[in-house]
Structures are given as C-alpha cells and as structure tokens.
Amino acid sequence: MPSLNPTLYTVAYPECGAQDLLAVDAWRAAHDAAGHALVRPHFTLVFACNAVDESTYMAHVAAVAARTVPIAFHCRYAMLGADAHSPRAHACLVPDEGYAALSLLHDALYTGPLADQLRLDLPYTPHITVGTFESAPQARQWCVERNHVGVSIPGRVGALWVGQVTDGRFDHLGRFDLVG
C-alpha cells in the first residue's frame, strides 16, 4: 500500500553575494534547466522522505535547526557527480570550508524519526548541483574548465526549508532558522 504521507525534502539555500548567486543561477539555467525550474540553488540535506507524517517531520527539523548554529561555507571546487546506473552525470559545487558542518547537519537530520531513512549505500557529499549533462565526460569537462579558472563561492546557511515537489515546483512548507 502506498504511503499517505507527502514526500518531503529538507534543503538549505546558500546566502551568498549577489554576483555569486547570479553566476550559480546562470550555470544552472544553462546546464540544468529542469533543476533550475524546480528549485533555486541549494544544499539538499534530507532526500525524498515519505516515511513519517508531516507534523513529525516538521517538528524534527525544527528541533535540529534550534540546536544548530548558522554554517559558513566556501565552495572552491567543481566536482563530477556520476552515477554508475546512468550515463548522465552532474556538475556540483562542493564546499571545502563548511563541509564537515554541513555533513554533521545532514547526519543530525537523519536521527530520531528519520533514522531509518538514511541511505547507508550512498555517502553524503554536501553540494550545490549546477549542471546535469548527458555523459560523465561532458560533466567532467565542465568541472575541469571551471576549476581551471577558479571557483570561489563563499556564503552561509542560516535556515532549513522543508518542502515538497508539486506540479514541477518545490513548494515550501516551513522555514526553520539555525539558531544554535
């Protein structure tokens, strides 16, 4: 029997300088039109969960946010994100500063009512997807070119957003500030 719970996600939108956000948005518009139309640039922290009811999910995210301080990050690396089960591949911006803090936030969200939803077969890498390509060599080439000229996207994460995908858009259901 299918779940009656909505499929929820938790994301964090990077708070960056206007020029940096414009650059990331332009890369996404050019290389990930579907993702660009769905949701603005983000770090996904909880992926497609329908195992718990909405109120339990929201209360858990609120509790984690309440004990988490805002996270400074700096993305200086464009990384290939390939999938062995698909010829398509992604280009992602990965933070060097803030990597551990974002990973620990992801881990904290996958506790309590979400503990059984953590995919242990997929390691978590905090990232902002900036491109989806038809092949891994195409995605790798984009990353090589971007890394050659240099990537520098500093910012912070100050809130968690819970939402669901409806009619091809990410609809926000709640915002939870990181207040630690």
Side-chain angles (χ1 to χ4, degrees), residues 27-111:
W27 295 332
R28 293 180 77 235
H31 302 291
D32 188 17
H36 182 262
L38 177 68
V39 62
R40 65 188 201 244
H42 63 281
F43 294 98
T44 303
L45 294 159
V46 175
F47 299 84
C49 177
N50 66 0
V52 298
D53 65 89
E54 185 175 332
S55 62
T56 300
Y57 186 105
M58 299 286 262
H60 177 66
V61 173
V64 171
R67 64 179 183 262
T68 304
V69 297
I71 298 169
F73 70 86
H74 200 141
C75 294
R76 293 189 183 94
Y77 179 60
M79 183 182 84
L80 169 67
D83 178 353
H85 304 288
S86 170
R88 295 172 57 130
H90 304 282
C92 305
L93 300 180
V94 176
D96 50 342
E97 294 174 33
Y99 187 101
L102 288 164
S103 296
L104 289 166
L105 177 54
H106 166 268
D107 293 350
L109 287 163
Y110 277 102
T111 61

Side-chain angles (χ1 to χ4, degrees), residues 127-172:
H127 67 277
I128 301 168
T129 301
V130 292
T132 300
F133 296 84
E134 292 303 314
S135 71
Q138 288 175 326
R140 183 179 184 280
Q141 183 60 37
W142 188 91
C143 292
V144 166
E145 291 169 5
R146 190 65 42 225
N147 289 326
H148 180 73
V149 297
V151 174
S152 180
I153 308 290
R156 76 187 280 273
V157 166
L160 300 177
W161 293 82
V162 172
Q164 64 186 9
V165 176
T166 307
D167 298 326
R169 300 284 303 161
F170 186 75
D171 290 332
H172 299 113

